[in-house]
């Protein structure tokens, strides 16, 4: 048995962790009880998109993901005419985009299903979600929607009630470590990677495969540490000015900030050493967590992004 293949599993998912949810999905496939729409929720880079892709592959391949046939190869290359992917390109999703993608799949269909994978469905504005609801109520024949979201609170409840919902939370450090060791071999900075990944296999794999991404994460971490250690509002505001317009950068920054605070609290609980030379009390850190959540909330609702981020920075001053 390997880290990614549970001995009770029917199919070769090659996914780290999430065993219970995968077994649940397998049961539906085996019992031919597949829904016309699924929603996979959970933190960014936790495995949702890989699971959606593999799920699509398992139901489209005559041998349930043999990895050898033409269907498998085309789906893995995201070039299969009945399995379409709307990846997160940072843009919002218009209802016309979805209509277009449905029209495309209607043209063909040699396969058991028309599978449409839509990454980060929260990119749909509310009006678009409302229109999409009608499609979910009367899906075109044999169509299966696989939707993902890392912001469930931004997905209409009416949509949530019309899909089968599976939540994928973070993966246990031990499981992640075993997988990384098995797949990429041992390395001296493994613990650092595990620590920065905070249970997100996608992020860990990215750091291992791409030295630049690893360096960027380390830099961001050091930057956050400096922000917490020193009073220098001018420098902090200029950092915000630099990332504010780039949605990905902001999101990486907020994620890294959260991870850094978790690490601080964890160290405090294990050693009760003062937090950054007594600059912060545990209560301060919890307040910062709350501010981070608020900042995320405002940013996702397009409230003045810069103001929200600057407010967060003010709270790191003593
Ligand atoms: Zn196959």
């Amino acid at each position: 048995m390997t880290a990614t293949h549970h001995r009770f599993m029917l199919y070769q998912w090659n996914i780290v962790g999430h065993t219970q949810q995968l077994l649940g999905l397998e049961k539906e496939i085996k019992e031919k009880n597949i829904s016309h729409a699924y929603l996979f929720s959970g933190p960014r880079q936790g495995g949702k998109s890989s699971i959606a892709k593999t799920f699509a592959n398992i139901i489209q391949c005559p041998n349930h993901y043999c990895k050898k046939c033409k269907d498998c190869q085309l789906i893995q290359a995201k070039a299969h005419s009945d399995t379409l992917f709307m990846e997160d390109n940072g843009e919002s999703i218009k209802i016309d985009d979805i209509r277009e993608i449905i029209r495309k799949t209607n043209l063909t269909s040699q396969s058991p299903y028309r599978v449409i994978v839509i990454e980060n469905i929260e990119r749909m504005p509310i009006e678009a979600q409302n229109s999409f609801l009608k499609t979910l109520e009367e899906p075109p024949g044999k169509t299966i929607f696989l939707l993902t979201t890392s912001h469930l609170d931004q997905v209409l409840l009416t949509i949530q009630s019309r899909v089968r919902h599976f939540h994928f939370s973070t993966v246990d450090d031990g499981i992640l470590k075993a997988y990384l060791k098995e797949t990429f071999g041992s390395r001296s900075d493994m613990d650092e990677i595990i620590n920065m990944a905070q249970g997100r296999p996608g992020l860990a794999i990215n750091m291992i495969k791409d030295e630049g991404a690893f360096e960027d994460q380390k830099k961001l971490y050091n930057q956050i540490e400096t922000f917490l250690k020193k009073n220098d509002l001018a420098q902090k505001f200029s950092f915000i000015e630099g990332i504010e317009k780039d949605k990905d950068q902001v999101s990486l920054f907020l994620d890294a900030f959260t991870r850094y605070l978790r690490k601080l609290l964890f160290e405090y609980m294990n050693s009760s050493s003062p937090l950054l030379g007594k600059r912060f009390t545990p209560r301060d850190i919890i307040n910062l967590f709350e501010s981070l959540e608020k900042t995320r909330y405002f940013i996702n609702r397009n409230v003045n992004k810069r103001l929200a981020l600057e407010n967060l920075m003010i709270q790191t001053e003593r």
Side-chain angles (χ1 to χ4, degrees):
M1 188 173 105
T2 66
T4 58
H5 192 73
H6 196 280
R7 68 196 156 98
F8 300 118
M9 281 193 181
L10 294 169
Y11 314 119
Q12 294 281 346
W13 289 86
N14 195 30
I15 294 291
V16 195
H18 306 307
T19 308
Q20 284 312 314
Q21 293 90 328
L22 298 184
L23 286 172
L25 288 170
E26 287 197 339
K27 189 163 179 278
E28 301 192 356
I29 299 169
K30 200 177 112 196
E31 292 173 356
K32 297 194 171 28
N33 170 30
I34 300 172
S35 169
H36 68 279
Y38 287 86
L39 178 63
F40 298 158
S41 66
R44 277 161 50 90
Q45 296 184 289
K48 304 181 299 293
S49 292
S50 304
I51 291 164
K53 190 175 167 191
T54 309
F55 183 70
N57 214 146
I58 291 170
I59 60 178
Q60 295 285 49
C61 164
N63 303 307
H64 300 298
Y65 195 23
C66 66
K67 304 186 184 183
K68 289 182 200 105
C69 72
K70 207 170 165 222
D71 286 314
C72 278
Q73 280 166 11
L74 287 171
I75 291 169
Q76 287 307 304
K78 296 190 175 171
H80 191 260
S81 56
D82 294 320
T83 310
L84 296 179
F85 296 88
M86 273 181 95
E87 292 172 301
D88 189 345
N89 56 2
E91 307 278 318
S92 66
I93 305 173
K94 294 180 222 59
I95 194 67
D96 284 344
D97 302 338
I98 294 182
R99 288 200 185 111
E100 176 62 21
I101 212 164
I102 292 169
R103 196 187 58 77
K104 264 192 210 163
T105 53
N106 279 339
L107 297 175
T108 54
S109 207
Q110 318 289 321
S111 323
Y113 304 98
R114 297 166 184 138
V115 180
I116 300 174
V117 182
I118 309 178
E119 229 175 36
N120 294 335
I121 192 84
E122 71 274 11
R123 292 182 294 137
M124 263 190 213
I126 297 296
E127 316 86 77
Q129 290 195 31
N130 268 315
S131 313
F132 184 51
L133 202 55
K134 293 184 193 90
T135 311
L136 282 180
E137 277 164 350
E138 289 170 47
K142 298 203 298 178
T143 302
I144 293 175
F145 287 101
L146 302 179
L147 316 170
T148 74
T149 184
S150 31
H151 294 283
L152 191 59
D153 58 333
Q154 289 169 38
V155 178
L156 284 181
L157 286 174
T158 40
I159 288 195
Q160 292 185 37
S161 68
R162 276 172 186 80
V163 298
R164 274 190 209 155
H165 181 198
F166 282 78
H167 183 72
F168 299 90
S169 87
T170 50
V171 173
D172 182 82
D173 279 357
I175 293 173
L176 184 54
K177 197 170 174 176
Y179 169 81
L180 294 176
K181 265 189 171 167
E182 187 185 298
T183 313
F184 301 102
S186 300
R187 46 190 290 164
S188 56
D189 50 11
M190 189 63 96
D191 285 336
E192 195 182 2
I193 290 171
I194 296 285
N195 183 29
M196 285 201 279
Q198 292 282 338
R200 297 155 192 232
L203 185 57
I205 293 167
N206 200 16
M207 284 191 280
I208 288 178
K209 282 188 173 166
D210 178 357
E211 190 59 38
F214 190 21
E215 285 307 314
D216 286 349
Q217 278 291 320
K218 279 198 260 191
K219 239 194 252 163
L220 196 55
Y221 239 62
N222 291 337
Q223 183 74 82
I224 289 162
E225 188 164 64
T226 313
F227 288 161
L228 287 165
K229 277 182 173 165
K230 275 195 212 141
N231 285 352
D232 188 346
L233 213 46
Q235 197 213 355
K236 293 173 193 181
F237 279 12
S238 110
F239 173 81
I240 294 301
E241 200 184 342
I243 62 163
E244 180 226 347
K245 293 212 164 53
D246 187 333
K247 199 182 144 201
D248 276 348
Q249 284 296 319
V250 169
S251 167
L252 278 174
F253 168 65
L254 293 178
D255 281 0
F257 205 145
T258 310
R259 289 199 299 275
Y260 187 83
L261 292 181
R262 264 197 215 131
K263 187 185 84 143
L264 271 187
L265 267 190
F266 186 74
E267 282 168 3
Y268 175 79
M269 287 188 297
N270 280 300
S271 64
S272 7
S273 58
L275 290 157
L276 296 174
K278 284 196 178 153
R279 238 173 100 83
F280 297 93
T281 66
R283 183 69 236 171
D284 293 335
I285 301 291
I286 289 163
N287 289 342
L288 269 171
F289 268 123
E290 283 166 8
S291 300
L292 263 167
E293 276 317 299
K294 263 188 219 155
T295 310
R296 254 189 252 274
Y297 179 90
F298 287 138
I299 287 172
N300 290 331
R301 274 159 190 76
N302 291 317
V303 180
N304 193 329
K305 206 186 273 179
R306 177 129 161 214
L307 199 66
L309 288 164
E310 285 179 354
N311 254 324
L312 177 67
M313 283 309 194
I314 289 171
Q315 314 232 7
T316 65
E317 301 272 299
R318 297 287 92 189

